[in-house]
Amino acid sequence: PEPVRTIVFLCFGAVAGVFMGNLYSFLVLPQITGLPPLLASYFPFLAIGLYCCTIPSLAGAGRFYCIALTTFSGISPLFSVDAADLVSRSMAEIMGIGSAGVLHLLFFPVGGRWWQSRLRKTLLREASEACRARLSTAEHIFESGIRDTLLQFTANAFPSKEAKRDMLKQTLAVSELGRLVIELREYIASGSSP
């Protein structure tokens, strides 16, 4: 729900993975002869990322650490050390993740106008689906969509309390309106008199 926070964690994982991968590639790997020493020397580096993956708040950083470590550790059948290539790829990886974070922060901030208008459009789409969907599946589809939208709403920050309050009013109003429409459609379909 928070892309900038996620990208910051990915960036930390990438930087740590790139650093440890380069450290392994330049200091440890040239001294290795054979598969068992390779596995034994690589496991402590990989264990750091695997341990981070077990902690929910660091899981994204741990996964990206493991990806960056395996990418930049230089393990290949033909061993060659090309420092310029490793530094170039490392910088490209980190700059790519950082630019994605900056773009999300500048153009698509969570809780910003774009996100709020997207949430409003999603709410209106859910309400119209309650009117058009088959009656047998309308309630399930509507409840699922509204629940997802409400979870997005509660998981993200808003610029002010008034904006959050207004958005909550709209969400609850659309939720009640959709339920009312579905109940009215079921009542009309049953053919019973009031």
Side-chain angles (χ1 to χ4, degrees), residues 83-131:
D85 180 53
L86 275 174
V87 170
S88 174
R89 288 188 305 137
S90 302
M91 294 306 295
E93 185 92 19
I94 293 167
M95 287 172 44
I97 296 168
S99 64
V102 168
L103 288 174
H104 269 287
L105 188 62
L106 293 177
F107 295 112
F108 309 115
V110 176
R113 284 187 214 163
W114 173 83
W115 184 81
Q116 289 178 18
S117 77
R118 183 174 156 252
L119 196 57
R120 282 188 186 96
K121 288 176 185 176
T122 303
L123 287 171
L124 293 174
R125 186 174 57 245
E126 295 299 334
S128 68
E129 281 296 314
C131 298

Side-chain angles (χ1 to χ4, degrees), residues 4 66 74 78 87 119 166:
V4 175
C66 290
L78 298 172
V87 170
L119 196 57
D166 290 343

Side-chain angles (χ1 to χ4, degrees), residues 73-89:
S73 61
I75 298 174
S76 65
L78 298 172
F79 179 71
S80 65
V81 177
D82 187 4
D85 180 53
L86 275 174
V87 170
S88 174
R89 288 188 305 137

Side-chain angles (χ1 to χ4, degrees), residues 153-168:
F153 169 78
T154 56
N156 292 303
F158 279 84
S160 67
K161 289 187 178 192
E162 292 81 24
K164 187 170 188 167
R165 197 175 308 124
D166 290 343
M167 206 64 202
L168 182 61

Side-chain angles (χ1 to χ4, degrees), residues 33-48:
T33 56
L35 183 62
L38 174 73
L39 296 175
S41 66
Y42 190 65
F43 181 73
F45 288 88
L46 190 61
I48 296 169

